[in-house]
Structures are given as structure tokens and as C-alpha cells.
Amino acid sequence: SLAAATTKLIGCTSTTQSSSSNNVLRILAWAGYDEPSVIQRFEQQTGAKVEFKTYVGGEQMLQFFNQAPPGTFDGIISDGEYVQKLTQLGAIDTLNPSDFPELKNFYPTYQNFAGFVQHGKTMAIATRFGNYGIAFNKKFIKLEEVTSWDFLKRPDLQGKLAFFDWYLPNMGNTSLALFDSLGNPYELNDGQLGQVKDWLVKVKPNVALITPSIQDITNAFINESVVAGPVGDWIIQNAIADGHDNFAAVVPKEGAIRWSEAATVCSASKNKALALEWVKYMTQPETQARLANAKAYKGIAPNTKASEFMNEKERALLGYVPDKTNAGKTVIETQLERTRARQLPVKQPEKMWQDLYNEFKTT
């Protein structure tokens, strides 16, 4: 329960004095933020040392946060739906949008993104986003075959699919597959939720790999032990960047779930001025260009000016190019229109969704 979580999750909420010195910043983040190409300029500009603890998935982020001594972290990179949880816990500070002049250059979706703005207050500033569309190997599958989520149920794909192991994107995409006219794919009644599980169970014979390891999925695509999966652009872009250009990803006609990451300042940080400078740094187009092309996995920069700091190959890889199917728009702009933000379940406790997802995994 949230009440239980509130009493335990004290990593950023305690007023206990921390021994952290003023030139060390401690950040809890997804992989990629810790890469030298992303953080080195900040360390050079400020003379600070940034120490990272990396996680995979929002549940693990909260777990690390929970286990940390009070005041351990100065900042957290959080997904949209977990910004909500951190806000409820009083773990992160409200931010003043006027402190971030680069916001005016962000895609409109991320200038005032619902996941990062809670009760009219800005709690987080967007750093990177992407989607969980269908990735596939063009050697085995033609683009025109991958129009709908029902593609994943094809009998000839038995033992050929990879899934990124997280209930929220996989169940959200399934909800879109079944009920694409719903306003929120996470606002399901119990009957609809049962249909989501049944649909996933039908896909299960085709699933060869379910893992939280981005590298394992990338490798499985490269060595052709899988040929497709609902893992979006972000994983296969790694393979393409490594010279394997026989991969593609599409957002099916029903749409796809979009992930969104953002920077926050911990309420208990003893180094808030530096933490705020780090958040500002993360809004800069050059920083976001490097983060978008991180080795750990790729993403899209919310700052539209970031593409000016990318080479032609990087721009093409990430979709900063005209969309042939949508005049006057880039591929990214089309995807933003056709994807829905990942969220938490609305009508049921999270555990109910997690239990159904675990049944699918163990079927």
C-alpha cells in the first residue's frame, strides 16, 4: 500500500544531515545518464563529481530509493508515472518553469506534460522519451505485414518474439490492441483487464524471451534468435547504430505506449543548488542530443533544438527526418500524435495488473 511505502521510502525525504560534500552530486537514474558523453561537460563546467546509481524500471527505482540511507540522492531521473509517486511521498521539490528557458524549445507535449506536472505544479523536467511499437527484422518480415498488434499472434512467429519485461508497457499496448478508442489505455474495467490477460496468453507461444536486459534483447535481434517484439525503436536503434541496418520499428494502427523520463530534485538534498544546475544542464539541446544517442539505449530529445547537435546518421536513426506518410511532419512528430503516455492502472490496484502479467509470464 502507498501508506506502507510512505513510511519506508525515506531515501529523499528525511531531514537528517547528510555527509555529502558540496561538490559531489548523487543521482539515481536509468542507464545512459552516467555515460561520459552525457555528463562530462557538466562536471567540467561545475567542477563537481557526479555519482550515479542506475536502475531498470520504476519499481526498482523505488526499491533502491527505499533502501538508501536518508538524504542519499540529490536528484532522480524518473518516469512520468513514478514522478506521481515521488510527489505523493513528498520526496521531490516543486520546480519553477521560469528557471528553465530551454522549455520554450521543447515539443508542446513536453512543455506541460501531465506526468511531470502534478496538481498544477511542475515536479520534473523532461529529458528523453520513446515508444514501445513493434520492432522487427526486415530480412524476415516486410514493413506492410506489421500494421496491427495482431501481427504478434501470427502462428509462424512461434518462439520468435522478444518482450521487455515490464507489465505497464506490455499491458498498455495490449489494451490499445483491444480497445484503441479508449481515452486512457490504463483505465479498464475488470472484464477488459481479463481480456488483456487472455490476449497476452494467446501471444505467449510466440515469445522466446522476456527480459529487463536491453542488451540481451538487442543481442537476440542481432543473432536472429528473435525476429520481432513490442520493444519499440529504442532497443533496435542500438543494433542499427552498431551497423546492423536490417531492423525497423513501427507504431501499429491502434497506437503504442510512449515512455517519458525526466529530471527531479530531491527534497532532502543538501546540495540543491547544484542539483538544480544539473536539471538545467539536462534541458540543454547538446546534452539531450548526447543522451538521445547514449550507448545504453536510444531515445528522443524533448528539446527540438537537440537535432542541431546530431550528425545526419543520428538524426535519421532517431526520426528527425520528414515522415513520408505525413506531409509537413517529422517521424517523431507523427509518433507523438500516435502514441499514448504510459501510466499507472486507474481502476484496480497495481498488484492486480502485476499478478495478471506474472500469470502470462509463467503460462
Side-chain angles (χ1 to χ4, degrees):
S1 80
L2 191 61
T6 310
T7 57
K8 287 161 65 186
L9 288 166
I10 54 172
C12 280
T13 53
S14 167
T15 53
T16 309
Q17 287 297 316
S18 162
S19 61
S20 72
S21 62
N22 283 339
N23 64 346
V24 176
L25 200 65
R26 295 187 174 90
I27 304 294
L28 181 59
W30 280 94
Y33 291 81
D34 54 340
E35 292 178 19
S37 65
V38 177
I39 198 63
Q40 211 161 32
R41 280 186 317 116
F42 177 78
E43 292 184 325
Q44 287 163 353
Q45 288 165 7
T46 59
K49 174 85 183 93
V50 187
E51 294 176 355
F52 288 88
K53 183 169 180 69
T54 58
Y55 66 82
V56 177
E59 284 84 25
Q60 194 183 64
M61 180 271 287
L62 287 179
Q63 182 191 339
F64 287 163
F65 182 56
N66 167 10
Q67 293 165 351
T72 296
F73 302 111
D74 299 299
I76 299 175
I77 292 293
S78 174
D79 293 278
E81 59 278 41
Y82 288 86
V83 168
Q84 189 180 324
K85 293 192 176 199
L86 293 170
T87 302
Q88 287 170 341
L89 293 165
I92 52 177
D93 277 357
T94 303
L95 300 171
N96 184 348
S98 65
D99 284 340
F100 307 97
E102 285 293 341
L103 272 175
K104 69 179 182 299
N105 296 322
F106 280 29
Y107 288 103
T109 307
Y110 285 102
Q111 288 183 10
N112 195 21
F113 182 61
F116 304 149
V117 178
Q118 303 288 326
H119 311 295
K121 292 179 175 174
T122 299
M123 305 307 297
I125 305 289
T127 51
R128 180 165 63 171
F129 67 91
N131 71 65
Y132 296 94
I134 299 174
F136 61 97
N137 188 330
K138 294 188 284 188
K139 201 163 117 182
F140 303 100
I141 294 156
K142 295 186 182 73
L143 176 65
E144 54 270 25
E145 297 175 54
V146 195
T147 55
S148 164
W149 283 110
D150 281 336
F151 163 81
L152 297 181
K153 296 198 297 201
R154 269 177 33 174
D156 62 327
L157 292 176
Q158 190 164 347
K160 299 279 181 66
L161 301 182
F163 272 61
F164 179 66
D165 189 10
W166 196 0
Y167 80 101
L168 285 175
N170 291 321
M171 294 178 79
N173 278 334
T174 304
S175 172
L176 286 171
L178 290 163
F179 321 110
D180 64 335
S181 58
L182 276 184
N184 178 351
Y186 295 91
E187 193 165 354
L188 304 179
N189 62 40
D190 289 359
Q192 289 168 325
L193 187 58
Q195 285 176 257
V196 163
K197 191 197 103 174
D198 293 344
W199 193 95
L200 281 167
V201 167
K202 285 192 188 112
V203 172
K204 187 64 192 298
N206 290 354
V207 180
L209 181 68
I210 305 176
T211 175
S213 167
I214 294 159
Q215 194 55 55
D216 286 353
I217 295 174
T218 307
N219 291 344
F221 269 94
I222 290 170
N223 67 31
E224 299 178 0
S225 58
V226 302
V227 299
V231 296
D233 306 50
W234 56 299
I235 287 176
I236 57 134
Q237 281 162 344
N238 281 9
I240 297 169
D242 289 340
H244 304 272
D245 58 2
N246 53 314
F247 300 106
V250 296
V251 173
K253 63 183 182 189
E254 302 93 346
I257 296 301
R258 174 166 26 92
W259 53 270
S260 311
E261 296 167 3
T264 68
V265 173
C266 285
S267 300
S269 167
K270 299 295 172 291
N271 217 347
K272 285 190 191 181
L274 189 62
L276 190 61
E277 285 308 309
W278 168 74
V279 178
K280 287 180 193 173
Y281 171 80
M282 292 309 306
T283 68
Q284 292 173 9
E286 186 175 354
T287 308
Q288 291 199 358
R290 298 283 59 84
L291 178 65
N293 288 285
K295 289 188 179 73
Y297 59 93
K298 311 301 177 215
I300 300 161
N303 192 325
T304 59
K305 305 274 186 208
S307 62
E308 295 169 16
F309 294 87
M310 298 179 195
N311 61 39
E312 202 175 331
K313 194 176 169 190
E314 289 172 332
R315 285 195 289 271
L317 177 68
L318 298 177
Y320 292 92
V321 289
D323 182 358
K324 296 185 183 82
T325 63
N326 198 350
K329 298 270 171 84
T330 62
V331 171
I332 290 170
E333 287 165 332
T334 300
Q335 286 185 348
L336 268 172
E337 287 171 4
R338 298 186 54 231
T339 52
R340 314 273 191 93
R342 196 180 60 211
Q343 296 181 46
L344 295 169
V346 176
K347 294 185 173 175
Q348 298 86 10
E350 288 163 64
K351 189 175 183 310
M352 188 168 170
W353 284 56
Q354 290 164 346
D355 288 349
L356 290 178
Y357 177 69
N358 286 333
E359 282 179 41
F360 146 71
K361 278 171 63 176
T362 53
T363 299

